[in-house]
Amino acid sequence: MDVKIEESWKKVLSDEFEKPYFKILTEFVKEEYKTHTIYPEGKNIFNAFNLCPFDNVKVVIIGQDPYHEPMQAHGLCFSVQDGVQFPPSLQNIFKEIESDLGVKVPKSGNLERWAKQGVFLLNSILTVRAHEAASHANKGWEWFTDSVIQKISDKKENVVFMLWGSYAKNKGKVIDTNKHLILNTVHPSPLSVYRGFFGCKHFSKANEYLIQHGKTAIEW
């Protein structure tokens, strides 16, 4: 199947695109775009992949499913488009970065600048119906993104995985801890942020690890 995705990812995932579940998923998603308002726009479904080629991946952050209100989702977990108000979790992420590294909260919640530095911002589910959270859960995306995480774990070394909350932690069970750094804490949502996200220092820890392994730090 010819999937419009960045070339290095196409090579790594070529076997996945031929599996029966992915063909069924593709038909489902195409039909949903025809009959409902779906986020993100079709061209942005694989935005995380297109902005961060496989060879460039240094840090992986795992989210759940895309934002489901207008103008928010654009294919990168936790990120919103320019000019859009920060959702609470993103606000808390920026607060932790400021506390950890002294970096001021930016004007835009668009995290493309992270992706271009090697931060792979992967949602577990890549599409959603407008106003209906988790509406595309259990349709096949989770299998696909499990495989993506497995490929990164198997084929790369010294990647930092940030697993925030039990959902992401569960998703990270396939990661080889002998080759990679896993940073676990609670989700940055207002419900849990004070139970360990604030003060986790994941951003400085990630940079220290990258530098130790001969990679450039991320400008968070």
Side-chain angles (χ1 to χ4, degrees):
M1 181 180 291
D2 185 30
V3 178
K4 290 185 173 63
I5 195 170
E6 190 275 333
E7 272 314 305
S8 63
W9 281 109
K10 186 177 263 192
K11 195 180 288 183
V12 168
L13 296 168
S14 56
D15 56 337
E16 208 63 25
F17 296 141
E18 297 307 319
K19 291 181 180 175
Y21 88 86
F22 193 84
K23 294 181 179 182
I24 294 165
L25 171 63
T26 302
E27 290 310 309
F28 165 75
V29 170
K30 280 181 181 170
E31 191 57 33
E32 285 284 288
Y33 273 93
K34 282 182 197 163
T35 53
H36 296 85
T37 300
I38 304 298
Y39 299 128
E41 284 184 73
K43 66 180 183 182
N44 285 332
I45 292 174
F46 294 113
N47 208 15
F49 299 80
N50 296 336
L51 290 171
C52 185
F54 183 79
D55 297 340
N56 295 3
V57 173
K58 296 194 286 190
V59 178
V60 178
I61 299 177
I62 299 173
Q64 198 156 348
D65 72 333
Y67 296 123
H68 51 268
E69 297 303 329
M71 294 304 298
Q72 292 182 315
H74 62 131
L76 306 175
C77 72
F78 294 105
S79 178
V80 290
Q81 298 181 55
D82 292 321
V84 175
Q85 189 177 356
F86 301 167
S89 292
L90 182 58
Q91 212 167 348
N92 289 332
I93 290 167
F94 287 145
K95 281 182 187 171
E96 175 57 22
I97 291 170
E98 185 170 26
S99 158
D100 185 10
L101 297 168
V103 176
K104 291 287 177 206
V105 175
K107 288 189 169 65
S108 172
N110 188 328
L111 303 180
E112 286 184 9
R113 60 193 176 82
W114 290 5
K116 289 170 182 172
Q117 295 179 75
V119 182
F120 185 50
L121 296 159
L122 180 68
N123 272 318
S124 174
I125 301 158
L126 300 188
T127 52
V128 68
R129 277 190 196 178
H131 321 300
E132 294 182 47
S135 45
H136 284 182
N138 304 314
K139 302 295 182 186
W141 280 130
E142 294 93 340
W143 288 349
F144 174 68
T145 51
D146 279 349
S147 175
V148 169
I149 294 164
Q150 183 85 63
K151 302 270 190 201
I152 296 170
S153 177
D154 291 351
K155 292 176 179 285
K156 294 183 72 72
E157 289 186 4
N158 309 131
V159 172
V160 180
F161 289 85
M162 295 185 180
L163 307 180
W164 300 337
S166 54
Y167 186 92
K169 201 177 288 185
N170 201 41
K171 193 94 179 148
K173 283 180 178 170
V174 297
I175 301 162
D176 183 346
T177 54
N178 295 314
K179 292 167 63 185
H180 306 287
L181 175 65
I182 294 182
L183 298 173
N184 280 316
T185 190
V186 296
H187 195 275
S189 80
L191 296 172
S192 56
V193 72
Y194 288 101
R195 298 207 309 267
F197 187 83
F198 284 156
C200 70
K201 299 192 179 298
H202 278 189
F203 304 95
S204 58
K205 286 175 183 173
N207 279 351
E208 284 163 17
Y209 181 84
L210 292 173
I211 291 164
Q212 279 169 11
H213 291 89
K215 302 182 184 187
T216 51
I218 305 296
E219 288 183 27
W220 298 104

